[in-house]
Amino acid sequence: MKAAVVVFPGSNCDRDVKVALEQATSKPVHMVWHGEAELPKLDLIVLPGGFSYGDYLRSGAMAAHSPVMGTVVERAKQGVAVLGICNGFQILTEAGLLPGALLPNAGLKFICRDVHVRVEQSQTVFTNACEAGSVLRIPIAHHDGQYFADADVLDRLEGEGQVAFRYCQGPAAGPANPNGSARDIAGVFNAGRTVLGLMPHPERAVDPLHGGSDGRALFQSLVAALA
Amino acid sequence: MGLKARVHVYPKPGVLDPQGRAIGQALGHLGFTGVAEVRQGKLIELSLSETDPAKARAQADEMCRRLLANTVIENYAIEIVPQGGR
């Protein structure tokens, strides 16, 4: 699997996700500066977490127009897998690759803690190592994580199997909603399920020393599907 | 002398605006009764070289659609005023 991580000014999880990918693939991961418009042939493009452009204007709004993003949009349309984590998710919605938007958390606080998310779809390049309905414990760290979309868009996402993850209280437990997200949504796919955006940080849960390694399932899924 | 475009960007009706709500609560604590709802947006001023008001508005509108506003969650309104105008 040839993977690249895009580095924007203000990205701060770029190296973490590189480590997580290299742990899963045992292959070097390319780091691409956002100002580069050319990309090598790739199987996976990752937009990492952080605070690109200081979250000025709106989270992800400036990064969505970085030179590299024209190429990312093009590759995504060709079916190349694109993963956006946290700020990467915000960038994907601002770039129009995923529906909806991320608003400030309903409680107006930055939330940094472990949450549980339920895997809604297992037949995807991102989640094939998970059972549908299984629960992962992964950290969130965001101020603007409230997923919003119009009711008809939400209905369509649910009907077409584009909801990737939902917040929940734990295995075999009820729903949860740390940030006010519509329908407890923590992550969504595009229509082809080749683009995933999620607020939780799987790359921060890939080693027992992180306090958990549930995030590995995502990277293992990608290797299984794309290697 | 060019024109100034004053762009107001504000959350759409139905979009939760927690900042507006917090401001409303603070106004209530200060004794300002009768404020039914507070919605917080932002004001962006653009000093343009364009001197034709219709063209200036068209430029600002394009800027809003492509960057200044996210029309999934925000509406916007544009005022065209003289440079240095209030």
Side-chain angles (χ1 to χ4, degrees), chain A residues 105-107 109 111 113 115 140 142 167-168 176-181 184:
Chain A
N105 296 339
K109 287 205 167 76
I111 309 169
R113 63 175 170 84
V115 295
I140 54 170
H142 61 244
Y167 299 107
C168 64
N177 199 330
N179 51 24
S181 287
D184 310 325

Side-chain angles (χ1 to χ4, degrees), chain A residues 49-128:
Chain A
F51 301 86
S52 58
Y53 294 88
D55 281 350
Y56 293 166
L57 192 64
R58 295 178 307 277
S59 302
M62 312 283 201
H65 299 286
S66 278
V68 76
M69 285 306 295
T71 312
V72 172
V73 170
E74 205 173 278
R75 296 289 175 91
K77 286 182 176 160
Q78 291 164 3
V80 172
V82 178
L83 169 64
I85 300 167
C86 196
N87 188 220
F89 184 12
Q90 295 160 343
I91 295 167
L92 288 173
T93 61
E94 284 282 344
L97 283 175
L98 290 174
L102 282 310
L103 292 166
N105 296 339
L108 280 176
K109 287 205 167 76
F110 187 95
I111 309 169
C112 185
R113 63 175 170 84
D114 281 6
V115 295
H116 291 93
V117 292
R118 178 160 281 116
V119 179
E120 297 285 316
Q121 299 292 332
S122 64
Q123 304 296 312
T124 78
V125 293
F126 303 97
T127 54
N128 57 71

Side-chain angles (χ1 to χ4, degrees), chain B residues 23-44:
Chain B
I23 293 165
Q25 284 166 1
L27 288 172
H29 294 318
L30 288 169
F32 292 102
T33 56
V35 180
E37 192 187 13
V38 178
R39 306 285 284 171
Q40 185 195 301
K42 60 190 111 175
L43 171 64
I44 302 168

Side-chain angles (χ1 to χ4, degrees), chain A residues 57-58 61-62 65 93-94 100-108 146 148-150 180, chain B residues 9 12-16 18-22 42 44 66-70 72-74:
Chain A
L57 192 64
R58 295 178 307 277
M62 312 283 201
H65 299 286
T93 61
E94 284 282 344
L102 282 310
L103 292 166
N105 296 339
L108 280 176
Q146 181 191 167
F148 174 89
D150 292 337
Chain B
V9 182
K12 278 186 173 178
V15 172
L16 181 65
Q19 294 183 93
R21 205 171 52 185
K42 60 190 111 175
I44 302 168
R66 292 192 53 195
L67 179 66
L68 302 181
N70 179 339
V72 174
I73 48 174
E74 295 168 325

Side-chain angles (χ1 to χ4, degrees), chain B:
Chain B
M1 194 146 123
L3 293 165
K4 184 183 279 182
R6 199 171 274 157
V7 177
H8 301 261
V9 182
Y10 46 94
K12 278 186 173 178
V15 172
L16 181 65
D17 175 19
Q19 294 183 93
R21 205 171 52 185
I23 293 165
Q25 284 166 1
L27 288 172
H29 294 318
L30 288 169
F32 292 102
T33 56
V35 180
E37 192 187 13
V38 178
R39 306 285 284 171
Q40 185 195 301
K42 60 190 111 175
L43 171 64
I44 302 168
E45 287 195 336
L46 309 164
S47 298
L48 304 173
S49 54
E50 182 57 58
T51 53
D52 180 278
K55 286 182 185 160
R57 179 175 295 277
Q59 283 178 12
D61 191 69
E62 173 80 5
M63 293 178 204
C64 286
R65 281 184 285 115
R66 292 192 53 195
L67 179 66
L68 302 181
N70 179 339
T71 54
V72 174
I73 48 174
E74 295 168 325
N75 285 329
Y76 62 89
I78 300 164
E79 283 179 84
I80 301 293
V81 296
Q83 204 75 260
R86 298 252 144 220

